[in-house]
Amino acid sequence: MTDDTLFNGVLLAVFASALATVLLLSWVDAPYGRHQSSGWGPTIPVRLGWVLMESPASLVFFYFYFTGQQAFQLVPLLLMVMWQLHYMHRSFIYPFQIRVKPGARTTMLVIALGSFYCGINGYLNGTYLSHYANHLTVDWLTDPRFILGVMLFGFGYYLNKRSDRMLRELREQNPGAYQIPRGFGFNWVSMPNYLGEIITWSGFALASWSLAGLSFVLFTMANLVPRALANHRWYRETFSDYPRDRKAIIPYIL
């Protein structure tokens, strides 16, 4: 914790929200993607929804990061680049790479909630790195936590991006129809892209050694683990030949 009452209050709220989110999503499938359903209010175009939802994590982070006195120190800068490597792509490139059916729309409620959280997340992590992370000196570069964290980040980033690319290519091969993804991480789990994202932010949290980073990991898991279980269940119900030994998100376990 820091000596900033607002920062600490928002941080605690995110931890509480992660618990509430995992409980809610254990009962209700978030209404987007293959689980899209009516009755959740107004909708907007899918690509626009992705940009509006993800961009606050990049832009809000930038704003609060560069208001801190440590913004131009080496280690915080490296962590900032790691963060933006994911979110600049997720906000402004990925939405235009995905294959979207003509006229496809997504629920505005989901976008609004996601955008709000991404802004909060950008505030917490951008603020922490440049305002409060006094341990992130040059000496931190040789700390085992930083080295292992960067390695985990890199592995998770690769797993996430390659898995996403494989799904896009699969949809391009047979537009308008779902297929069973095979190869690479899909040999072990139904959602290696989700697993990659969890590993990515676990690495970031370890490399930054911060509660803000930890809150992000827990909130990511609260969203993605129930979603992975729902998608895994959908695959098994939809395809009679779906690999029976494939897990949802954690190889051999879950």
Side-chain angles (χ1 to χ4, degrees):
M1 290 291 186
T2 70
D3 57 359
D4 186 323
T5 302
L6 175 62
F7 182 91
N8 292 342
V10 173
L11 181 60
L12 289 174
V14 171
F15 279 113
S17 297
L19 176 59
T21 297
V22 74
L23 292 175
L24 176 62
L25 295 182
S26 296
W27 292 93
V28 179
D29 293 336
Y32 67 92
R34 73 194 67 194
H35 303 290
Q36 181 84 28
S37 60
S38 59
W40 290 89
T43 60
I44 59 176
V46 169
R47 296 189 198 279
L48 175 61
W50 268 106
V51 173
L52 293 177
M53 182 170 66
E54 300 287 349
S55 58
S58 174
L59 301 179
V60 174
F61 181 101
F62 263 137
Y63 174 80
F64 284 101
Y65 179 84
F66 284 109
T67 62
Q69 68 279 7
Q70 298 173 183
F72 293 98
Q73 294 185 19
L74 179 59
V75 178
L77 273 173
L78 291 174
L79 290 164
M80 183 271 288
V81 170
M82 289 165 60
W83 180 280
Q84 295 295 347
L85 186 66
H86 174 88
Y87 270 114
M88 290 295 288
H89 178 272
R90 183 66 72 178
S91 303
F92 304 113
I93 299 175
Y94 178 78
F96 304 98
Q97 291 179 324
I98 56 176
R99 188 174 187 87
V100 177
K101 295 179 182 178
R105 300 176 71 83
T106 191
T107 306
M108 189 178 295
L109 175 62
V110 172
I111 300 304
L113 292 174
S115 178
F116 178 73
Y117 171 70
C118 282
I120 292 296
N121 194 32
Y123 158 72
L124 286 174
N125 282 278
T127 299
Y128 181 78
L129 291 180
S130 67
H131 289 75
Y132 305 120
N134 296 323
H135 62 289
L136 298 182
T137 64
V138 174
D139 292 340
W140 188 251
L141 291 172
T142 58
D143 191 285
R145 290 165 290 186
F146 180 77
I147 295 170
L148 179 58
V150 171
M151 292 173 63
L152 284 173
F153 182 94
F155 173 72
Y157 186 88
Y158 175 70
L159 177 60
N160 174 254
K161 295 298 183 286
R162 181 172 174 183
S163 300
D164 276 344
R165 185 175 69 249
M166 290 175 69
L167 289 173
R168 290 198 306 271
E169 292 172 348
L170 193 63
R171 291 172 190 139
E172 289 170 358
Q173 293 169 11
N174 192 4
Y178 282 102
Q179 301 175 71
I180 300 175
R182 302 182 188 276
F184 192 53
F186 294 102
N187 288 328
W188 291 279
V189 295
S190 295
M191 305 302 297
N193 48 336
Y194 290 1
L195 175 59
E197 192 152 348
I198 291 170
I199 294 172
T200 295
W201 298 119
S202 296
F204 182 88
L206 182 59
S208 61
W209 199 246
S210 69
L211 287 176
L214 178 61
S215 75
F216 186 18
V217 175
L218 294 179
F219 200 90
T220 298
M221 293 179 67
N223 277 277
L224 296 188
V225 171
R227 182 75 175 180
L229 293 172
N231 286 350
H232 182 68
R233 184 169 58 251
W234 179 90
Y235 273 123
R236 297 187 70 172
E237 292 171 352
T238 303
F239 299 101
S240 59
D241 58 339
Y242 197 72
R244 308 307 295 179
D245 58 346
R246 187 182 296 185
K247 297 297 183 180
I249 191 167
I250 302 177
Y252 308 111
I253 299 174
L254 183 65

